[in-house]
Amino acid sequence: MVVGAGFSGLRMLQELRKLGLTARVIEAGSDVGGTWYWNRYPGARTDSLSWVYAYSFSDDLQQNWRWRERYPAQPETLSYLQHVANQFDLRRDIEFDTKVESAVFDDASTTWTVTTDQDRTYTCRYFITATGPLSQPYLPDFEGLADFGGQWFQTGRWPKESVDFAGKRVAVVGTGATAVQIIPQVAREAAQLTVFQRTPNWVLPARNDTLTDYEDREIKANYEAIWKQARQHFYGFPMDPAGRTRADVTPEEHQRILERGWELGGFGFIFETFDDILVDDESNKIVADFVRNKIRTIVKDPVTAELLCPSDHPIGGRRPPLGHYYYETYNRDNVRLVDVNSTPITRIVPNGVQVGDDEYEADIIIFATGFDAVTGTLSQIDIRGRDGVELRSEWEHGPRTQLGIGVHGFPNMLMVCGPQTPFANIPVVTEGIAEWIGATLQHMHDNGFDRVEADPDAVERWRKHLDDIVNATVLVKGKRAWWLGDNIPGKPHACLFYFAGAGAYRQECDACADQGYEGFTFTKNH
């Protein structure tokens, strides 16, 4: 049984079929896509280059699919996943419009019993979660929301029907990655757009463009080298390290290199300029000052520009989203920015949003307030391992895993892109984990093993390893970092990702397998 039919679930299903195993995927949506099914808000698109925000397991798939843009919009990415489902006939093994309510392990039979909200019960040998790191939207408990007289929407559960903003007063709550995408789109249509910002973001220019036929041919001819590069890269991108730090160049050269990175756009500004931006405070400060000066240059009103300049966390302390004319949007006469850091939103009133004693009228409110990331969806399922132990209680102080794949006390439960896996370009991470799980199941079959389970000491070592990694970077200084669980009231402060990079993680997984699956115990029933 696989939970989820997004990038991870589809790839896992394909891997299970390759092994000759029977499989069933349970999906809450009415079609494949996962994140790209639910997040259909205006402006939604990838922050990863299209040709590596894809699968590499089929050369035929790579050669026959034509990406239109450098950073594809949601409809194109969803079309790609639908195309994959069609080409490999995956839907016949997927149950749509269904949620998993519980999964309970039975020690006597070494099976999992999975129950859905459609009153169906399944029994399986392996229970595999592929729920995605950003799949449980978070809506703060705003007082008065039930009395709001207009329409309100949550970006992570956007309706399939188009929303008309023309002539409307629209409020957007939040300035995270989702808001950065939707704000410029709404501003083009709305009569008035009011943005409520708690923490300003570091937004890098995407420099999106259509892909020419020549570029398409070049990509397809060089896919082998592209994937090799991406699998070794920190963030799973086809980029090489810069090969320099701030100490290697003069201040003038430093600014020139940053200027070139800014003009080229994308995450190359972080990863192809200097290699010490995320580990050296002074290097980070130089880059942060550079971006602040860009914001002040782009945004005409100096008060608004200063509000948009982050001052309480380093660049990279929160994932910098890619912008598509985000800062330029604040130069429009119909857009205003409201700071709710010092004075939070008091309540939602029937005709809008109240901040302190001030009321801002709105016909439509859009909540771009993020996700209960990584563990959020898993915590919604009643998962019980050996002796009836609840996963929720086991993770009361944060997730505990081995390689982000196995959990002690939960035999034959395996996770694709679960907690404590890399913070990186998801398809690259997904494929590596799906292949690793496939090889593990083959190893069990070849050796007559019935169970695989993470060792408790290995789980503790992995947790400490992750803490050591993040504490060696500037990332730990991020304010209200969602990847530490800080954006959700009551959620434990814990590292939810592996921050040494996608390439290093793949090496960790390979080393584990090469050393006889160190950190996992395999057993036979008799």
Side-chain angles (χ1 to χ4, degrees):
M1 295 293 297
V2 179
V3 186
F7 258 106
S8 298
L10 295 181
R11 182 63 183 86
M12 194 67 243
L13 174 58
Q14 182 68 10
E15 191 70 17
L16 294 170
R17 281 189 181 177
K18 189 176 78 173
L19 295 173
L21 297 174
T22 55
R24 191 74 174 161
V25 178
I26 305 297
E27 168 56 46
S30 58
D31 199 359
V32 300
T35 290
W36 302 101
Y37 172 86
W38 297 105
N39 290 270
R40 57 177 75 91
Y41 57 86
R45 67 175 64 242
T46 75
D47 275 357
S48 297
L49 296 166
S50 56
W51 55 95
V52 290
Y53 200 77
Y55 295 119
S56 65
F57 69 86
S58 167
D59 186 60
D60 181 59
L61 173 63
Q62 291 182 152
Q63 297 302 321
N64 290 329
W65 180 262
R66 171 70 155 88
W67 290 105
R68 294 194 297 269
E69 292 183 275
R70 188 181 186 193
Y71 299 104
Q74 177 268 339
E76 186 175 5
T77 306
L78 180 60
S79 293
Y80 170 76
L81 291 171
Q82 291 171 333
H83 172 77
V84 171
N86 291 339
Q87 180 170 338
F88 298 97
D89 191 23
L90 299 180
R91 286 189 178 85
R92 63 181 165 89
D93 290 324
I94 305 174
E95 188 172 330
F96 294 108
D97 298 307
T98 304
K99 291 183 179 180
V100 173
E101 291 190 331
S102 67
V104 180
F105 181 73
D106 179 65
D107 199 50
S109 62
T110 312
T111 58
W112 284 86
T113 299
V114 179
T115 304
T116 73
D117 64 351
Q118 302 299 316
D119 293 327
R120 294 192 183 95
T121 300
Y122 297 93
T123 302
C124 58
R125 179 71 66 191
Y126 303 107
F127 176 62
I128 301 176
T129 64
T131 51
L134 299 175
S135 52
Q136 184 64 36
Y138 170 61
L139 181 65
D141 187 18
F142 288 113
E143 184 182 349
L145 181 57
D147 299 323
F148 179 59
Q151 295 176 290
W152 67 268
F153 303 95
Q154 193 172 7
T155 52
R157 290 294 181 266
W158 200 262
K160 291 182 179 179
E161 306 76 27
S162 61
V163 178
D164 183 14
F165 302 114
K168 303 288 180 62
R169 298 165 300 179
V170 182
V172 173
V173 179
T175 51
T178 297
V180 164
Q181 292 184 336
I182 199 172
I183 285 168
Q185 299 295 319
V186 175
R188 294 189 181 105
E189 298 182 40
Q192 175 71 51
L193 172 61
T194 305
V195 178
F196 296 89
Q197 172 186 271
R198 183 176 66 173
T199 306
N201 225 320
W202 301 101
V203 182
L204 308 178
R207 311 292 187 210
N208 188 34
D209 203 351
T210 56
L211 292 175
T212 65
D213 290 341
Y214 171 78
E215 288 171 317
D216 177 62
R217 289 194 300 271
E218 283 292 295
I219 290 166
K220 289 175 176 176
N222 292 286
Y223 250 132
E224 185 176 347
I226 288 170
W227 285 120
K228 182 179 179 180
Q229 205 176 18
R231 289 173 188 137
Q232 295 172 349
H233 187 260
F234 178 90
Y235 209 75
F237 289 151
M239 299 176 181
D240 291 322
R244 59 177 167 254
T245 66
R246 67 176 177 88
D248 297 327
V249 300
T250 66
E252 293 75 19
E253 287 176 308
H254 202 292
Q255 292 298 301
R256 180 183 59 78
I257 291 166
L258 290 179
E259 191 69 47
R260 180 177 183 274
W262 182 266
E263 289 305 315
L264 289 174
F267 286 116
F269 179 74
I270 296 289
F271 297 115
E272 293 185 305
T273 52
F274 295 92
D275 292 331
D276 57 350
I277 293 173
L278 300 182
V279 295
D280 180 80
D281 287 338
E282 182 59 27
S283 181
N284 191 279
K285 181 181 182 301
I286 293 170
V287 177
D289 287 342
F290 177 93
V291 177
R292 289 190 191 99
N293 288 332
K294 286 294 182 183
I295 296 170
R296 293 168 184 140
T297 301
I298 296 168
V299 180
K300 295 176 182 177
D301 177 54
V303 176
T304 301
E306 288 308 310
L307 283 176
L308 289 167
C309 288
S311 60
D312 58 7
H313 64 284
I315 188 165
R318 305 172 78 201
R319 184 183 76 82
L322 300 188
H324 303 264
Y325 305 102
Y326 174 69
Y327 291 124
E328 291 84 349
T329 298
Y330 291 96
N331 292 328
R332 298 178 64 102
D333 293 336
N334 67 328
V335 178
R336 61 183 169 183
L337 180 65
V338 178
D339 177 27
V340 294
N341 185 42
S342 54
T343 305
I345 292 174
T346 309
R347 60 181 289 119
I348 306 298
V349 292
N351 64 332
V353 180
Q354 182 179 337
V355 179
D357 296 328
D358 298 324
E359 290 188 8
Y360 299 87
E361 294 185 342
D363 304 303
I364 298 173
I365 302 176
I366 298 170
F367 293 101
T369 47
F371 297 85
D372 183 354
V374 186
T375 57
T377 305
L378 292 173
S379 67
Q380 301 298 309
I381 305 172
D382 182 15
I383 301 175
R384 297 173 185 260
R386 277 189 292 104
D387 304 319
V389 173
E390 288 184 306
L391 186 66
R392 281 189 289 253
S393 62
E394 194 74 6
W395 287 357
E396 183 181 1
H397 302 294
R400 302 289 189 270
T401 76
Q402 164 62 347
L403 296 177
I405 297 174
V407 183
H408 175 65
F410 293 77
N412 292 0
M413 173 181 163
L414 302 165
M415 300 179 292
V416 187
C417 291
Q420 301 182 326
T421 52
F423 187 76
N425 181 27
I426 283 293
V428 172
V429 179
T430 286
E431 290 220 296
I433 295 175
E435 290 166 2
W436 192 92
I437 289 176
T440 303
L441 299 184
Q442 185 66 55
H443 171 77
M444 293 177 68
H445 176 269
D446 293 345
N447 293 277
F449 294 124
D450 299 290
R451 301 188 190 196
V452 57
E453 182 179 346
D455 298 335
D457 55 339
V459 166
E460 181 56 26
R461 282 198 306 271
W462 190 247
R463 182 200 63 78
K464 186 178 183 305
H465 183 44
L466 265 62
D467 286 347
D468 289 344
I469 291 169
V470 77
N471 287 332
T473 72
V474 301
L475 302 176
V476 76
K477 300 174 183 177
K479 183 181 180 183
R480 288 190 286 262
W482 59 264
W483 45 263
L484 291 172
D486 297 339
N487 64 320
I488 306 296
K491 188 168 182 172
H493 177 88
C495 190
L496 299 175
F497 289 99
Y498 173 89
F499 279 106
Y505 176 78
R506 184 179 282 261
Q507 291 174 9
E508 299 251 24
C509 290
D510 289 345
C512 171
D514 291 344
Q515 294 164 14
Y517 291 95
E518 183 179 6
F520 290 90
T521 295
F522 296 89
T523 56
K524 301 178 181 181
N525 287 341
H526 52 77

